[in-house]
Amino acid sequence: MAKLYPKSALGISLLYTAGGLAWLAAMGIAAMWFRTILLSPHVNVKAGYAIAPLYYFLVTFHGQAAMMIIVEDVALSVFAYSLYKSGMGTIHNKILTAAFWLINVPMIIEFIGGPSTGWYMYPPLSLQLGSWIYFGTFAPSLAEKLIGLAYFMMFVNAVGVIIGSITMFLDAYKTRPKEGKIPVFAAYGMAFGGALLFVTEFALAAAELWYVLYFWASVPVNPLTWVVLFWFWGHPVVYYAPFTIFGGLYYLIPKFAGRPLFSEKWARYNIILLFTFSMLAWVHHLQTWPLPVVLRAFITPTTLILAAGSGLTVLNLGLTIATGKGYQWKNPVGLASLVALIGFILAGLQALILPINPLNVIVHNTYYVVGHFHLMIWTIIIVGYVSILLDMLTSKMNGATLTSLSSGMVSGGIIMWTIGAFLLGYTMSYAGYEGLIRRWVAYPVRFVPYMDAMTFFAIIMGASFVMYGLPVLFTLLGVKTSLFWQTAGLSGVSNASIPGGSSPSPTMASQDHNTMKNTIKEINSKTTDASKKDKSLLN
Amino acid sequence: MYLYIRPKVESHRDWEKIWFGVMLVIVVIFVAWSYVSVISGDTATYRYGLPLASGVPKPLPNGTVVIYMEGVQWAWVPMNATEIIYSPNGTQMNISVTANVISYVNGYPYIKVLPHQPVEMILYSNNVVHAFYLRLPHGPQNVNVVPGIDSYSFFFAPSTVGNYTFHCAEYCGVGHSYMYGYLEVM
């Protein structure tokens, strides 16, 4: 009989991973498509108007797939994996599987409608029938019902996220360790892959339901109120994945640094800080809007305090690496964790000017912002997720190690990807500073060299994505795994998950000593070293 | 003589507190600078206008051109221009200068002003959200225009003659990128 739903936290994690990767592939193709469209500045107005609906549909699809599906899939996947690694687990696997389908499927109907609203679908543009390439072509009375249906499907997606995150959070709470604290990885999962989702996703659900009621029950929509409501979800959503991944980095980086986390206490304090302030910063997306000065003055310190909290994570992990026994960056998982951290710093620096009211206006709505958040996504989310995913796949492969072929593909791919990402992110940001506005299908010809450079760097990233994505994809599908994994003597090690996340990753095992005996010896010696260190710290 | 050296392991724990202190100081400096700039009105957008005309100088300086500009899908439509002149006894005169200031080139609005001339744009929209974006050498104007609410953009024209392009910066539909016009400093 076919397996209808996964029966374990690892299975749930892999299910959400599969959803995230499928949508990632689709939104990546959309990105390549509209980047090709952007090679022309469309000086010819007729040509520009002709291509614009397709361009704006692709941009909308790209953004909505990312923000409403992939981010949630990734956050819940990492959350489930954190439970698996912490000796905790999921109980209501049927509900979590149902939530998975609610998150991943209904919005297909919305996409069929051909939205060209932009992912943040501001009113009243998004209420105009003309913003829907396909649904908008029907007679108005039918078109309104169909667009209402599209927004209802988006609402169902948000409900799926709420159900999934609440269920996983409660399961985590029920399976928490009987003694001692919840391990940091799982604690971050519970806070940012669980609670942050179900607390803020209600705002999106409400905003979408408001649109449904507009079309189905003629309820008027107030643009200013709607955007404030939307961003109460729209800002925290950008933290769902990265902050959950932070937990993964807190778990992985100490392993490769050869010492315990520099300060677990501060990692835990940081949960409170990041959780609270991530919900107090949303109005910084509306700094050029006619909102009261007081409101916009309020979000300057809240956003900066949030940034200081993120910086604390960087410091904690940075000091773990700096005071460790030589970081094992040659290991693909170690490399990916390190790159995610460095990327987070470099992308975070770009953001520092954004909450400052007098500076925000210089770059608001320009490619500067696009460069910042894409660099963030490409490093802390994608590369950080790859590091956790490789660890997860090691568990799936019963503790096998990567072969030299797959190690080379992953490490080489990630290095090339990151170089492309930095060049592309910073080119975007500079062009934005020079005055390149977001969402222009036609742009002044002086920006042609920037656009050409961006496309070139994007191609580098595309090629490197294939390089590190192939071993991951083949392993997930169970195809040709012998090419990418070697199992000699390591089977079963990763299944011995130890609460507190102190078990070294099997991918760390040196290939020269690739035997069960040596690996166990290595683990034991590391544990002893760690305990010695803890002892000296306590003294 | 004994030299007391603190054990290394204990001392490096303080880095987080130091970090937190330094960060807090930086946050306070940034926020204070931001607030002072807003209150004193010496920064680009906040200098005059945003939001709801809270910082627009009252009374408007002598020689200000007031332009009512409507954002539609997809064009900027300057409706009329008035120059504010004060007589020696302080009486304000509103002189219509629409014919001198507003013209069109290839269907795009073309607004002519003098170097250093104060300009006030009163921006409004009859349909969707737009944003008025004008990059000047001394700072950009970047103001969202929400239907039903007037937005204000006040600035001094650059000192050098030249042609500057203003754009829509908030996605407003398929013609968004063709929603622009010119500010000519004569």
Side-chain angles (χ1 to χ4, degrees):
Chain A
M1 192 187 143
K3 221 171 149 184
L4 286 177
Y5 63 94
K7 310 270 191 302
S8 69
L10 183 62
I12 291 287
S13 181
L14 286 166
L15 177 69
Y16 277 93
T17 297
L21 290 183
W23 282 107
L24 189 68
M27 71 92 91
I29 290 167
M32 287 193 284
W33 196 346
F34 67 67
R35 191 121 285 292
T36 312
I37 293 173
L38 285 174
L39 285 172
S40 164
H42 296 106
V43 178
N44 181 326
V45 179
K46 270 191 182 171
Y49 268 97
I51 198 83
L54 172 64
Y55 171 77
Y56 288 117
F57 165 70
L58 292 170
V59 170
T60 305
F61 171 74
H62 176 81
Q64 290 187 335
M67 306 309 284
M68 286 142 192
I69 304 176
I70 299 171
V71 160
E72 288 77 3
D73 275 343
V74 168
L76 288 167
S77 151
V78 176
F79 181 14
Y81 186 61
S82 75
L83 299 180
Y84 169 76
K85 273 286 154 181
S86 309
M88 296 156 75
T90 50
I91 301 165
H92 299 91
N93 295 317
K94 277 185 194 166
I95 298 177
L96 289 170
T97 307
F100 167 80
W101 293 111
L102 288 180
I103 294 169
N104 284 274
V105 173
M107 277 181 61
I108 292 173
I109 291 173
E110 189 246 343
F111 293 136
I112 288 171
S116 63
T117 57
W119 77 269
Y120 42 71
M121 45 189 187
Y122 283 156
L125 176 71
S126 306
L127 303 172
Q128 292 182 334
L129 306 190
S131 295
W132 293 79
I133 298 170
Y134 180 53
F135 286 170
T137 57
F138 291 91
S141 58
L142 178 59
E144 283 179 1
K145 287 191 176 67
L146 288 172
I147 297 168
L149 178 70
Y151 283 121
F152 184 74
M153 288 300 157
M154 297 185 81
F155 171 71
V156 172
N157 154 275
V159 171
V161 175
I162 294 168
I163 293 173
S165 53
I166 288 183
T167 308
M168 210 181 282
F169 183 86
L170 291 176
D171 285 357
Y173 185 74
K174 280 181 198 155
T175 57
R176 71 191 183 281
K178 295 284 166 278
E179 285 174 20
K181 289 177 179 167
I182 295 170
V184 174
F185 189 9
Y188 270 74
M190 286 180 77
F192 302 111
L196 190 63
L197 268 72
F198 64 72
V199 170
T200 56
E201 195 78 19
F202 278 104
L204 176 69
E208 287 163 348
L209 195 60
W210 198 351
Y211 276 0
V212 175
L213 294 174
Y214 172 86
F215 283 108
W216 288 356
S218 303
V219 173
V221 175
N222 178 305
L224 213 50
T225 315
W226 193 93
V227 295
V228 173
L229 180 65
F230 175 85
W231 282 111
F232 185 75
W233 165 82
H235 189 70
V237 69
V238 307
Y239 299 131
Y240 290 180
F243 286 177
T244 312
I245 288 171
F246 271 174
L249 296 185
Y250 277 132
Y251 161 74
L252 287 172
I253 283 181
K255 287 182 188 306
F256 295 98
R259 61 152 291 164
L261 185 62
F262 186 83
S263 172
E264 197 178 308
K265 187 176 80 179
W266 282 80
R268 289 179 191 279
Y269 276 141
N270 220 2
I271 294 177
I272 302 165
L273 194 147
L274 295 177
F275 187 81
T276 313
F277 281 83
S278 64
M279 289 183 287
L280 296 178
W282 81 108
V283 180
H284 70 213
H285 292 268
L286 301 167
Q287 292 228 54
T288 57
W289 286 62
L291 290 170
V293 171
V294 166
L295 191 55
R296 287 178 298 142
F298 164 73
I299 55 90
T300 303
T302 54
T303 310
L304 285 171
I305 290 168
L306 181 65
S310 309
L312 197 59
T313 306
V314 168
L315 183 83
N316 205 345
L317 291 171
L319 282 172
T320 306
I321 293 168
T323 59
K325 293 180 194 163
Y327 191 77
Q328 294 180 42
W329 61 271
K330 283 186 181 167
N331 182 294
V333 183
L335 177 77
S337 310
L338 184 66
V339 164
L341 180 64
I342 295 171
F344 180 74
I345 299 168
L346 289 170
L349 284 176
Q350 287 177 302
L352 279 179
I353 70 162
L354 298 177
I356 315 289
N357 309 39
L359 300 180
N360 174 280
V361 64
I362 299 170
V363 292
H364 197 99
N365 268 331
T366 71
Y367 263 65
Y368 184 91
V369 183
V370 180
H372 153 63
F373 71 73
H374 274 97
L375 188 51
M376 210 46 122
I377 290 165
W378 294 325
T379 53
I380 185 70
I381 297 188
I382 299 207
V383 180
Y385 187 45
V386 165
S387 69
I388 295 168
L389 195 52
L390 285 172
D391 200 64
M392 196 191 297
L393 294 179
T394 309
S395 305
K396 182 181 184 284
M397 298 303 291
N398 289 322
T401 52
L402 292 169
T403 59
S404 61
L405 171 72
S406 49
S407 287
M409 282 175 82
V410 171
S411 294
I414 283 176
I415 291 170
M416 203 163 97
W417 164 271
T418 309
I419 293 170
F422 286 144
L423 291 170
L424 179 45
Y426 276 84
T427 307
M428 278 180 165
S429 285
Y430 189 73
Y433 172 73
E434 286 284 304
L436 181 59
I437 300 290
R438 298 173 75 166
R439 297 172 172 171
W440 273 351
V441 68
Y443 51 89
V445 284
R446 73 173 191 279
F447 291 112
V448 170
Y450 290 104
M451 282 293 192
D452 288 353
M454 285 179 210
T455 306
F456 177 72
F457 297 141
I459 291 169
I460 293 179
M461 292 179 68
S464 44
F465 185 77
V466 173
M467 232 169 114
Y468 69 76
L470 277 181
V472 173
L473 192 67
F474 275 59
T475 312
L476 272 174
L477 298 174
V479 180
K480 280 276 171 203
T481 46
S482 57
L483 259 181
F484 305 114
W485 299 87
Q486 51 193 18
T487 49
L490 273 170
S491 130
V493 168
S494 74
N495 285 343
S497 62
I498 298 167
S502 57
S503 62
S505 164
T507 48
M508 285 170 67
S510 142
Q511 285 175 17
D512 300 337
H513 309 92
N514 203 1
T515 64
M516 187 65 152
K517 204 176 165 188
N518 283 338
T519 312
I520 289 173
K521 212 167 156 187
E522 201 182 351
I523 292 168
N524 287 339
S525 69
K526 275 186 181 141
T527 319
T528 323
D529 284 352
S531 350
K532 272 181 195 163
K533 209 165 205 88
D534 284 341
K535 212 170 178 184
S536 67
L537 289 175
L538 288 170
N539 292 336
Chain B
M1 189 179 118
Y2 294 98
L3 191 66
Y4 175 71
I5 300 169
R6 289 179 68 190
K8 205 180 167 189
V9 223
E10 274 182 23
S11 62
H12 76 195
R13 282 278 172 189
D14 291 334
W15 277 112
E16 287 121 339
K17 284 171 196 159
I18 294 167
W19 168 273
F20 214 67
V22 170
M23 279 295 118
L24 218 56
V25 171
I26 293 174
V27 167
V28 168
I29 293 170
F30 271 20
V31 172
W33 176 62
S34 187
Y35 287 2
V36 167
S37 309
V38 172
I39 292 162
S40 65
D42 63 352
T43 62
T45 294
Y46 282 92
R47 184 182 295 147
Y48 311 106
L50 248 188
L52 309 170
S54 55
V56 171
K58 286 174 188 139
L60 287 165
N62 197 28
T64 304
V65 183
V66 179
I67 300 165
Y68 279 83
M69 181 117 87
E70 185 180 14
V72 299
Q73 281 170 308
W74 294 277
W76 288 111
V77 186
M79 305 299 277
N80 61 60
T82 310
E83 190 164 345
I84 309 286
I85 301 286
Y86 298 98
S87 65
N89 66 10
T91 313
Q92 181 181 319
M93 291 180 287
N94 301 338
I95 299 161
S96 174
V97 287
T98 306
N100 300 336
V101 169
I102 299 170
S103 58
Y104 284 85
V105 171
N106 297 329
Y108 292 95
Y110 199 87
I111 293 166
K112 286 171 281 186
V113 292
L114 298 168
H116 296 298
Q117 184 162 21
V119 180
E120 184 189 31
M121 298 277 185
I122 298 173
L123 305 155
Y124 55 101
S125 162
N126 70 347
N127 42 47
V128 299
V129 179
H130 299 283
F132 178 77
Y133 175 87
L134 171 63
R135 200 168 185 271
L136 297 171
H138 53 299
Q141 293 290 314
N142 197 345
V143 180
N144 271 85
V145 188
V146 179
I149 302 167
D150 285 352
S151 282
Y152 296 80
S153 168
F154 183 96
F155 56 93
F156 286 90
S159 52
T160 47
V161 293
N163 192 303
Y164 302 87
T165 314
F166 52 85
H167 295 272
C168 178
E170 191 69 70
Y171 173 58
C172 57
V174 292
H176 168 55
S177 29
Y178 294 110
M179 187 171 164
Y180 61 87
Y182 305 100
L183 179 81
E184 172 79 25
V185 181
M186 298 183 294

